[in-house]
Amino acid sequence: MHQVDSNRLPRHVAIIMDGNGRWARQKLRNRAFGHNEGVNRVRDILRLCLDLGIPCLTLYAFSKENWQRPSSEVRVLWRLLKRFLRSELAELTEKEVRVSHLGDVEDIPVDVLREFRYVIEQTSKFDKLFLNLAINYGGRQEILRAVKLLVQDSLSGKIDLAGLSNDIFSQYLFTNGLPDPDLIIRTSGEYRVSNFLLWQMAYSEIYITNVLWPDFHEAQFMEAIAEFQSRERRFGKTGDQVHCIKSG
C-alpha cells in the first residue's frame, strides 16, 4: 500500500469510471454483470474518501454519448443507479455526504429522477463530503448551457459582459460553488477525456491506469493519490517560482 501525506490530499477527485464491459467480457459474463460490480467500487471509493478526508468526489456515471449504447444496457444502467440511490441513502445520511447532480435532467427516466431528487434533498444540508454524480452529462453541452444562461442574464440586464471573468462564468456551470478537480483519474487505460469537465480540468492532474474500474480497489486509489502528491503543480509558473513561494 502506498503511503500518502494526509496534509497534501487533493480537495477534489474526479473519476472517469471505465472498463466495466471489458471486465465482464474477461469473466465471460454480460456487461450488466460488469456494471453491477462497478457499483461496488463506487461504494468502496466513497468510503475511502471519507476515511482520508477528501472533501469532494465527482464520478462520471452516464455521459450524453452513452445514450448511443444498446437500449438494454442503458436500461440496466438506470436500474442500477436507482437501486444505488435507494440502498445507499441511509449510509450517505449517516456519513453526512451531500449528493449533487451534474448534468441535464431531460431524458432521465421519471422514476430515476424522482429517486435522485429525493436523495439530493435529503442530503442537501451535509458537508462532510460532496458526492457529485455526473449523469446525462457532457462537458461541451455544459459550456453551451452556461453561455445561453449568461446571454439571457446579459439581455435582461442582470450581468454586464464587459466584466465577465473566469470566476463569473464558472457560476453558470453545474459545478458552481465547487473547487475545480485537482486530480482526474481514468481507469481502463484509455487516453482521452471523453467530454468530461472540459472547463474545470484546465489545471487538473490526470492519472491514467490500465486497471479496469471493477478492479480499482483501495490500493489502486492510494497509488493514484501518491502519484498526485509526487507531481509539482506550477499553474503556469516556473519550478523556481513555485519553490520560492513554498520556502517563503
Side-chain angles (χ1 to χ4, degrees):
M1 184 75 67
H2 288 265
Q3 296 296 315
V4 301
D5 183 348
S6 60
N7 295 314
R8 296 193 298 118
L9 292 168
R11 295 176 305 161
H12 184 176
V13 176
I15 305 178
I16 302 173
M17 306 178 293
D18 195 17
N20 291 342
R22 276 166 283 175
W23 183 86
R25 189 164 60 246
Q26 291 175 3
K27 308 291 183 183
L28 303 180
R29 302 292 294 270
N30 61 29
R31 294 177 65 86
F33 180 75
H35 291 310
N36 189 69
E37 186 61 25
V39 171
N40 293 331
R41 294 297 80 73
V42 169
R43 293 189 182 97
D44 295 343
I45 299 305
L46 174 60
R47 291 166 184 167
L48 187 53
C49 285
L50 283 165
D51 290 342
L52 289 170
I54 293 173
C56 192
L57 173 66
T58 297
L59 302 175
Y60 202 10
F62 190 92
S63 72
K64 287 285 191 180
E65 290 74 25
N66 285 155
W67 287 107
Q68 302 174 65
R69 294 188 176 189
S71 58
S72 57
E73 181 175 352
V74 171
R75 286 195 297 271
V76 166
L77 290 169
W78 290 126
R79 187 164 63 247
L80 285 173
L81 173 60
K82 183 179 178 181
R83 185 191 306 165
F84 172 81
L85 292 168
R86 182 170 295 174
S87 65
E88 301 305 305
L89 178 57
E91 183 171 354
L92 292 169
T93 302
E94 178 188 351
K95 302 294 187 182
E96 299 183 356
V97 175
R98 182 188 297 187
V99 177
S100 298
H101 174 216
L102 309 184
D104 296 319
V105 297
E106 292 80 6
D107 301 322
I108 296 179
V110 174
D111 58 328
V112 178
L113 185 58
R114 185 184 307 116
E115 196 78 36
F116 206 177
R117 283 175 167 166
Y118 179 73
V119 170
I120 290 171
E121 192 276 330
Q122 291 296 306
T123 63
S124 62
K125 293 181 173 59
F126 301 140
D127 61 3
K128 189 171 183 180
L129 185 148
F130 289 79
L131 173 61
N132 313 298
L133 299 178
I135 294 170
N136 198 25
Y137 172 87
R140 286 182 171 180
Q141 292 87 345
E142 178 186 28
I143 292 171
L144 285 175
R145 172 183 174 276
V147 170
K148 291 176 182 177
L149 293 173
L150 188 63
V151 170
Q152 289 174 10
D153 281 356
S154 173
L155 292 175
S156 65
K158 292 181 180 179
I159 186 173
D160 181 2
L161 291 182
L164 183 62
S165 64
N166 287 338
D167 288 341
I168 292 175
F169 185 80
S170 294
Q171 295 172 15
Y172 289 86
L173 299 173
F174 290 123
T175 51
N176 178 32
L178 298 173
D180 288 342
D182 298 300
L183 172 63
I184 294 180
I185 299 170
R186 176 157 195 153
T187 60
S188 86
E190 302 290 351
Y191 284 78
R192 56 178 177 270
V193 297
S194 295
N195 201 19
F196 184 49
L197 300 179
L198 298 181
W199 173 274
Q200 299 87 339
M201 67 168 12
Y203 276 100
S204 302
E205 296 296 325
I206 300 176
Y207 176 84
I208 297 174
T209 174
N210 290 324
V211 175
L212 304 177
W213 176 246
D215 286 330
F216 192 82
H217 296 276
E218 178 179 352
Q220 287 74 34
F221 186 76
M222 297 300 281
E223 181 178 348
I225 298 298
E227 170 66 22
F228 167 81
Q229 293 185 341
S230 73
R231 298 183 185 179
E232 182 178 76
R233 306 189 74 198
R234 296 192 295 271
F235 298 97
K237 300 181 177 67
T238 67
D240 289 341
Q241 286 176 301
V242 171
H243 292 311
C244 181
I245 292 172
K246 288 181 179 178
S247 62

